[in-house]
Amino acid sequence: MNKNVFFIVGPTASGKSELAADVTARCDAEIVSADAFQVYRGLPILTAQPDEATLRKVQHHLIGAVSPNEEMSAEKFRGLAVAAIGEINRRGKLALVVGGSGLYLKALTHGLAPLPAVDASLRAELNALSLEELNARLVAVDPSGAEKIDRRNKRRVVRALEIFAQTSAPASAQRREWEDEAADVRGVFVFRDRTELYARIDQRVAQMFRDGVAEEVAGIEDVSKTAEKALGLDQVRQMLDGKITSSECIAEMQQATRRYAKRQLTWFRRQTNFEALNLSLQKDHAAAVDWILQKVLSFAHPLND
RNA sequence: GGCUGGGUAGCUCAGUUGGUAGAGCAGAGGACUGAAAAUCCUCGUGUCGGGGGUUCAAUUCCCUCCCCAGCCA
């Protein structure tokens, strides 16, 4: 990607949205969200979209950009993000990509092999089969590929079979290996000490209920297969159906969000090379904004040109 | 004050007919190439409430003390 882009990535509830908005306000930039669930319209509270004031402060892209009954995918996101970045750059501005969806970010920075779009009925057909049956089929069709993937993970096996069915060639042969580091990709990875991050998550989930998540979820009926995986959607629906109490609902959502944040931290530690910034060690919000801004400016205006 | 249960991992508890202990949950680490807020894998040493006694050996049996819950005064 040879575009004018800077990344701000981090786990949920780390405070990256506020940071990104404040950084953007001080340099000639616009924000492109890399969040797999904030892209959907109609669930601003549940998906913890930035508040109205933040959205108004600087230009945001890909927040509430697709209908909740639409299916999303990493490739679809990549297309939308590349278009948004191109448009921002054409206006002479820097695109600040901010988000926490690891695969979406990687699809954007490292690219994906050209493959046909997902076939929903094929996927449903494969999902109906047992893991044993799926594995047997994969071994028959792509023995070397079968050795490389996690065969206890049904998703992975199904995906490999989907690709074979759609292209008549093994998925492993079409995979485009990702380079360790894309040279022109620059950004920061913000995080916080674990106990502080978890406290912020717990607090934010509790706040969602005061803000009316229950009403928000009750008012939305048609959600796609991908959108319905939004953290908390299932729990809030169970609460609305009277199957669990509101405090059980809150506790379950807090726990699920904590586990999600942990997975994000693993991903960013292992899968990206961005410069790390521990916000727990920063003097205050302004200091963190200054730190990031300095990185952005040194990137946008290299001294050696 | 008396009686009855209990006090074992961060929490809820199991267990050892005496040979220093293990589940669930919480938590931690990891994987990840079009579902990614998804999906999948791995990880259990703790004065077994304190002190004393019996014993080759006590978390287990006995005595005593402390704490918690319930009931009776």
Side-chain angles (χ1 to χ4, degrees):
Chain A
M1 193 176 5
N2 51 0
K3 296 190 158 61
N4 206 7
V5 187
F6 191 89
F7 290 83
I8 298 179
V9 307
T12 186
S14 56
K16 58 187 179 309
S17 299
E18 298 73 38
L19 278 173
D22 289 340
V23 168
T24 303
R26 287 173 56 188
C27 59
D28 205 15
E30 295 181 12
I31 289 175
V32 177
S33 166
D35 188 296
F37 287 84
Q38 291 178 11
V39 247
Y40 298 112
R41 238 185 322 269
L43 293 166
I45 302 170
L46 188 75
T47 63
Q49 285 180 6
D51 57 41
E52 282 296 323
T54 306
L55 291 176
R56 230 175 293 116
K57 187 153 59 179
V58 298
Q59 185 68 47
H60 284 71
H61 300 259
L62 304 192
I63 286 185
V66 311
S67 161
N69 59 31
E70 206 175 312
E71 304 286 345
M72 274 300 294
S73 73
E75 173 55 20
K76 206 159 174 178
F77 165 77
R78 211 192 109 261
L80 292 171
V82 166
I85 292 164
E87 194 232 326
I88 293 164
N89 285 173
R90 231 170 287 126
R91 289 202 308 270
K93 294 189 171 193
L94 172 72
L96 214 62
V97 176
V98 14
S101 297
L103 183 65
Y104 281 18
L105 286 160
K106 202 113 185 189
L108 185 56
T109 58
H110 292 66
L112 292 168
L115 288 172
V118 170
D119 178 337
S121 63
L122 171 63
R123 176 168 287 181
E125 210 176 290
L126 291 169
N127 273 326
L129 301 172
S130 72
L131 185 58
E132 292 67 32
E133 171 63 17
L134 292 166
N135 270 302
R137 289 193 186 192
L138 184 61
V139 170
V141 128
D142 181 11
S144 69
E147 277 170 33
K148 289 187 201 123
I149 69 167
D150 179 0
R151 292 169 60 191
R152 282 178 293 195
N153 191 336
K154 196 170 179 178
R155 288 273 171 106
R156 303 264 140 78
V157 183
V158 166
R159 180 62 192 149
L161 287 169
E162 273 177 25
I163 294 171
F164 184 84
Q166 289 180 300
T167 64
S168 305
S172 56
Q174 301 178 73
R175 184 184 161 110
R176 208 164 87 189
E177 287 307 318
W178 282 340
E179 304 290 323
D180 274 354
E181 192 179 0
D184 53 352
V185 172
R186 296 286 308 274
V188 298
F189 158 39
V190 302
F191 67 104
R192 305 183 104 101
D193 290 343
R194 197 65 60 95
T195 50
E196 188 191 358
L197 184 65
Y198 283 6
R200 287 172 64 99
I201 286 170
D202 290 351
Q203 202 260 333
R204 195 178 70 184
V205 171
Q207 184 62 42
M208 282 181 186
F209 282 80
R210 279 175 239 131
D211 292 344
V213 239
E215 291 71 24
E216 180 178 277
V217 170
I220 195 155
E221 66 297 322
D222 201 17
V223 293
S224 68
K225 280 264 183 232
T226 49
E228 78 180 356
K229 297 288 185 185
L231 234 164
L233 184 65
D234 186 47
Q235 288 93 331
V236 172
R237 282 176 164 171
Q238 284 189 49
M239 183 191 78
L240 291 169
D241 289 346
K243 290 186 181 124
I244 57 173
T245 66
S246 67
S247 58
E248 283 168 339
C249 181
I250 292 171
E252 282 180 30
M253 279 175 65
Q254 288 170 330
Q255 178 180 86
T257 309
R258 275 182 249 129
R259 287 174 166 171
Y260 165 52
K262 187 168 139 29
R263 268 177 271 134
Q264 286 180 299
L265 288 167
T266 300
W267 179 283
F268 292 129
R269 271 197 304 250
R270 297 305 187 115
Q271 300 279 337
T272 68
N273 261 325
F274 297 129
E275 211 167 330
L277 174 65
N278 183 348
L279 295 172
S280 296
L281 301 178
Q282 287 296 300
K283 193 169 53 179
D284 53 29
H285 180 79
V289 171
D290 286 342
W291 191 93
I292 296 171
L293 189 64
Q294 191 212 316
K295 299 290 173 193
V296 171
L297 296 177
S298 70
F299 164 66
H301 306 289
L303 295 171
N304 58 352
D305 69 357

